[in-house]
């Protein structure tokens, strides 16, 4: 039988900055459109893991420093998830980890806009932070400067509680900072606006370039192939990191000293 406290310490020792546990049957999952049981029949617990981003890199205004930081953080999350599953397996439990970003379901209904499970929702239920106006998980210690992972297991672990108070104080700096005004007053996100800006180096950018080939002459095709946008998409494809914007995160003052 695993002790939750000891287990969390083990996960922290692997490099996690935040760890929390949510009960798979918490009514909050259903309320926010999540179904842990669909990922692992018999699921009892979800382990939420946060690894901090480097605020200096995210706020640098240099997208390559920002992306490289994310690459490293995702590698750490992958490593922690794999090792956590191995520990659980040795204890006789089953577990699956949900990718921190890709792969996601690209099928027509969600079109890549919905994770296998939403890590922010799991993290909020596991008490890591609250959902901020910027629509990110905002923690007391590090603000939104964390990337998240989730492990679903049939091991019973004692659960943490959601925070009583949301660390986001609705200061609106994220709303003002968003270059495409995607954050609405009521806290909803204009996904279309965010995607076209934040994913210009990803699939939406690739589709925009592919469309330029339709009915184009040789000169226009060459123009598209030799454009910096096309080359950036190639770079994103080989590195696996394609976000071009983090302004809603970079503008958040929470957790800075
Ligand atoms: C699809 C996706 C996107 C989409 C959609 C964004 C979104 N709001 O979900 C796009 C491409 C626009 C996007 C952009 C970004 N993303 Co993104 N994205 C994802 C991905 C792959 C799935 C998220 C998902 O399922 N969304 C579905 C929609 C419906 O969820 P939602 O808008 O958040 O709304 C739900 C919750 O907020 C919840 N909820 C609302 N209030 C409350 C209150 C409580 C108490 C609870 C429990 C739940 C809850 O209910 C809502 C309805 O289901 C996740 C990885 C993952 N598997 O979770 C990363 C992820 C959410 N992205 C992340 C980041 C950092 C970004 C960007 C900053 C880009 C960047 N530089 O990396 C921007 C930020 C945009 C923004 N302000 O939201 C991080 C967030 C980390 C954090 N601290 O929160 C994640 C978790 C990746 C990771 N592993 O860390 N992303």
């Amino acid at each position: 039988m695993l002790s939750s406290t000891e287990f969390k310490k083990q996960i922290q020792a692997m490099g996690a900055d935040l760890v929390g546990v949510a009960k798979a049957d918490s009514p909050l999952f259903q309320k926010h459109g999540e179904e842990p049981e669909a990922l692992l029949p018999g699921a009892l617990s979800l382990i939420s893991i946060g690894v901090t981003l480097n605020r200096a890199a995210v706020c640098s205004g240099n997208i390559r420093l920002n992306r490289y930081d994310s690459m490293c953080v995702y590698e750490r999350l992958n490593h922690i998830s794999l090792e956590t599953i191995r520990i659980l397996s040795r204890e006789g439990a089953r577990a699956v980890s949900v990718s921190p970003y890709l792969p996601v379901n690209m099928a027509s209904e969600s079109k890549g806009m919905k994770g296998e499970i939403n890590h922010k929702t799991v993290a909020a239920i596991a008490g890591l932070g609250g959902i901020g106006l910027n629509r990110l998980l905002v923690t007391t210690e590090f603000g939104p400067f964390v990337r998240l992972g989730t492990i679903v297991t049939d091991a019973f672990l004692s659960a943490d509680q959601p925070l009583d108070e949301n660390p986001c104080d609705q200061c609106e700096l994220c709303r003002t900072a968003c270059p495409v005004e995607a954050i609405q007053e009521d806290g909803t996100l204009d996904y279309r606006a965010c995607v076209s800006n934040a994913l210009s180096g990803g699939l939406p950018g690739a589709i925009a370039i592919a469309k330029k080939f339709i009915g184009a002459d040789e000169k226009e095709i060459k123009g598209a192939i030799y454009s910096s946008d096309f080359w950036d998409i190639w770079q994103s494809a080989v590195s696996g990191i394609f976000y071009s914007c983090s302004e809603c995160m970079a503008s958040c003052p929470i957790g800075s000293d």
Side-chain angles (χ1 to χ4, degrees):
M1 171 79 172
L2 276 170
S3 139
S4 293
T5 316
E6 281 310 310
F7 188 40
K8 283 199 243 174
K9 278 189 191 154
Q10 271 181 285
I11 298 173
Q12 274 161 345
M14 290 186 243
D17 297 294
L18 296 166
V19 185
V21 175
K23 265 166 57 164
D25 63 0
S26 163
L28 286 171
F29 281 117
Q30 205 185 11
K31 182 176 173 198
H32 294 286
E34 302 295 343
E35 211 190 328
E37 175 85 11
L39 296 176
L40 185 77
L44 289 179
S45 314
L46 286 87
I47 304 159
S48 176
I49 297 169
V51 173
T52 53
L53 288 158
N54 174 4
R55 196 182 277 256
V58 176
C59 299
S60 66
N62 180 327
I63 195 64
R64 291 164 299 283
L65 297 182
N66 183 339
R67 284 180 179 170
Y68 178 58
D69 182 51
S70 283
M71 278 167 71
C72 297
V73 168
Y74 279 141
E75 274 172 31
R76 178 173 285 192
L77 273 168
N78 292 339
H79 168 78
I80 296 170
S81 298
L82 189 67
E83 287 305 311
T84 303
I85 288 178
R86 284 153 71 105
I87 296 171
L88 288 163
S89 304
R90 283 200 294 271
E91 295 289 330
R94 291 178 309 130
V96 290
S97 72
V98 177
S99 153
Y101 69 124
L102 293 182
V104 287
N105 188 351
M106 291 292 186
S108 55
E109 201 187 320
S110 58
K111 286 211 163 64
M113 286 295 110
K114 173 77 189 74
E116 225 58 57
I117 201 157
N118 188 333
H119 297 306
K120 296 177 284 185
T121 295
V122 181
I125 299 173
L128 266 58
I131 306 293
L133 180 63
N134 57 10
R135 208 71 180 182
L136 296 171
L137 191 273
V138 178
T139 70
T140 310
E141 303 89 331
F142 314 109
F145 293 78
V146 284
R147 289 207 178 265
L148 304 164
T150 303
I151 292 146
V152 188
T153 177
D154 62 6
F156 176 80
L157 299 163
S158 57
D160 297 290
Q161 293 305 310
L163 298 186
D164 289 332
E165 213 173 307
N166 192 331
C168 171
D169 57 7
Q170 311 269 315
C171 72
E172 304 237 343
L173 285 175
C174 54
R175 240 163 71 71
T176 320
C178 176
V180 291
E181 297 178 3
I183 302 168
Q184 311 295 297
E185 240 169 288
D186 64 358
T188 54
L189 186 79
D190 179 345
Y191 293 104
R192 193 181 279 263
C194 179
V195 166
S196 61
N197 176 53
L199 299 191
S200 57
L203 183 61
I207 291 170
I209 297 219
K211 278 184 177 166
K212 289 188 183 169
F213 289 91
I214 301 168
D217 62 26
E218 196 182 329
K219 194 170 165 232
E220 288 164 332
I221 291 173
K222 273 190 180 162
I225 292 174
Y226 289 99
S227 67
S228 57
D229 286 350
F230 185 64
W231 291 24
D232 188 43
I233 288 164
W234 169 82
Q235 188 164 224
S236 299
V238 294
S239 71
I241 299 289
F242 41 82
Y243 286 115
S244 308
C245 182
S246 301
E247 291 305 317
C248 56
M249 182 185 281
S251 56
C252 183
I254 299 176
S256 58
D257 24 48

